[in-house]
Amino acid sequence: MKNIASKKPEIVQSMQMSYDKWWDDVRPYMVNEGRPKMDPNPYHLNYEEQLKSEGIPSWKKPQL
């Protein structure tokens, strides 16, 4: 609710050191680092193309 970091710098420093250690420990296990990106999703490409060319119509509730 309130940012008290400036009032408790020793706690902030301790938390930052713990986070940095954790990050150093988990980084080697990130097997996807350096892998090529996946091809774009065709649905997303079609959506972007439609959005640019004619727009996306507003949905209208069908008459049942």
Side-chain angles (χ1 to χ4, degrees), residues 2-64:
K2 292 183 180 180
N3 184 350
I4 61 167
S6 62
K7 295 178 182 177
K8 302 287 185 175
E10 67 283 352
I11 294 175
V12 172
Q13 183 180 12
S14 172
M15 291 174 72
Q16 184 65 54
M17 288 172 53
S18 295
Y19 174 79
D20 291 342
K21 183 185 178 320
W22 170 82
W23 186 246
D24 289 342
D25 290 345
V26 299
R27 180 86 177 167
Y29 297 105
M30 299 181 116
V31 297
N32 291 329
E33 293 295 305
R35 301 276 184 189
K37 291 186 178 181
M38 293 181 1
D39 291 336
N41 182 323
Y43 172 79
H44 295 145
L45 295 175
N46 291 340
Y47 175 85
E48 290 296 326
E49 184 179 321
Q50 180 182 352
L51 183 62
K52 289 177 186 173
S53 65
E54 60 200 66
I56 307 295
S58 296
W59 183 78
K60 294 179 183 162
K61 183 176 178 180
Q63 297 278 336
L64 299 178

